[in-house]
Amino acid sequence: MTRPPEPVQVVKQRRDAALRALVSGVPYIGFLGVRFERLGDELTAVLPFQDKLIGNPLLPALHGGATSAFLEVTAIVELAWATLWADLEAGRIDPDLAETMLPRLPKTIDFTVDFLRTGLPRDAYARARVNRSGRRYASVQVEGWQDNRARPFIQATGHFLMPDA
């Protein structure tokens, strides 16, 4: 006998709770003010503008370290989310117990950032794409933009050591 499908709101709540638990496990994400918007399995990271993110007040321009960190946490969360998705959809993870059941986060091996243009004093957005994810190693590309996604102001490639299963 097959079970009826879960109501869509229950599925959305489970996914949102798992994402909240994943993001809340990284205090630096909260310090930067980064939030993640989820549409299905796709994540968009948002870095809301704050005065503390200005690196050059004469231009003014966003600090390169803050925008680099924004892309790095976007890559890590995307990689962890991609790993988590199958278990979440199969119901093997209970969001109420998420802090103990969520996978450990990948560790950065290297992260190369390309600064394409000045980050303006406004909100920034980023999306990451997992190019390869194996048992031990993963490769992720990230792109950050502000007003126009077709005109990124920063991009990066990262390599990560995957945690033991």
Side-chain angles (χ1 to χ4, degrees):
M1 179 179 209
T2 60
R3 293 185 308 184
E6 290 180 295
V8 69
Q9 280 310 108
V10 172
V11 173
K12 284 182 179 181
Q13 288 172 351
R14 183 175 64 241
R15 291 172 180 169
D16 291 341
L19 180 59
R20 269 193 312 276
L22 183 65
V23 170
S24 69
V26 184
Y28 194 61
I29 293 174
F31 173 76
L32 286 176
V34 176
R35 69 178 192 276
F36 289 85
E37 296 177 356
R38 185 190 61 75
L39 291 172
D41 67 339
E42 184 177 80
L43 299 178
T44 300
V46 181
L47 176 66
F49 173 73
Q50 303 169 60
D51 285 333
K52 71 180 182 182
L53 300 176
I54 293 293
N56 183 342
L58 298 177
L59 291 178
L62 294 178
H63 192 283
T67 54
S68 297
F70 171 53
L71 263 56
E72 185 173 6
V73 297
T74 300
I76 290 170
V77 169
E78 176 65 35
L79 188 53
W81 183 249
T83 304
L84 177 69
W85 185 259
D87 288 337
L88 184 64
E89 292 306 296
R92 291 187 291 265
I93 293 179
D94 179 2
D96 295 332
L97 304 172
E99 281 130 20
T100 58
M101 296 185 73
L102 288 177
R104 291 188 341 212
L105 295 174
K107 304 256 189 270
T108 305
I109 296 171
D110 65 52
F111 200 74
T112 303
V113 179
D114 298 322
F115 298 95
L116 306 175
R117 57 185 49 85
T118 301
L120 302 172
R122 56 183 66 139
D123 293 355
Y125 308 91
R127 282 209 182 136
R129 183 179 71 246
V130 178
N131 292 327
R132 180 195 186 285
S133 181
R135 286 182 310 117
R136 302 280 299 147
Y137 165 85
S139 175
V140 181
Q141 288 186 314
V142 194
E143 184 176 77
W145 70 95
Q146 289 186 300
D147 297 325
N148 182 349
R149 185 161 183 206
R151 287 184 40 87
F153 76 102
I154 188 170
Q155 65 187 15
T157 300
H159 301 106
F160 300 89
L161 179 66
M162 298 301 289
D164 294 330

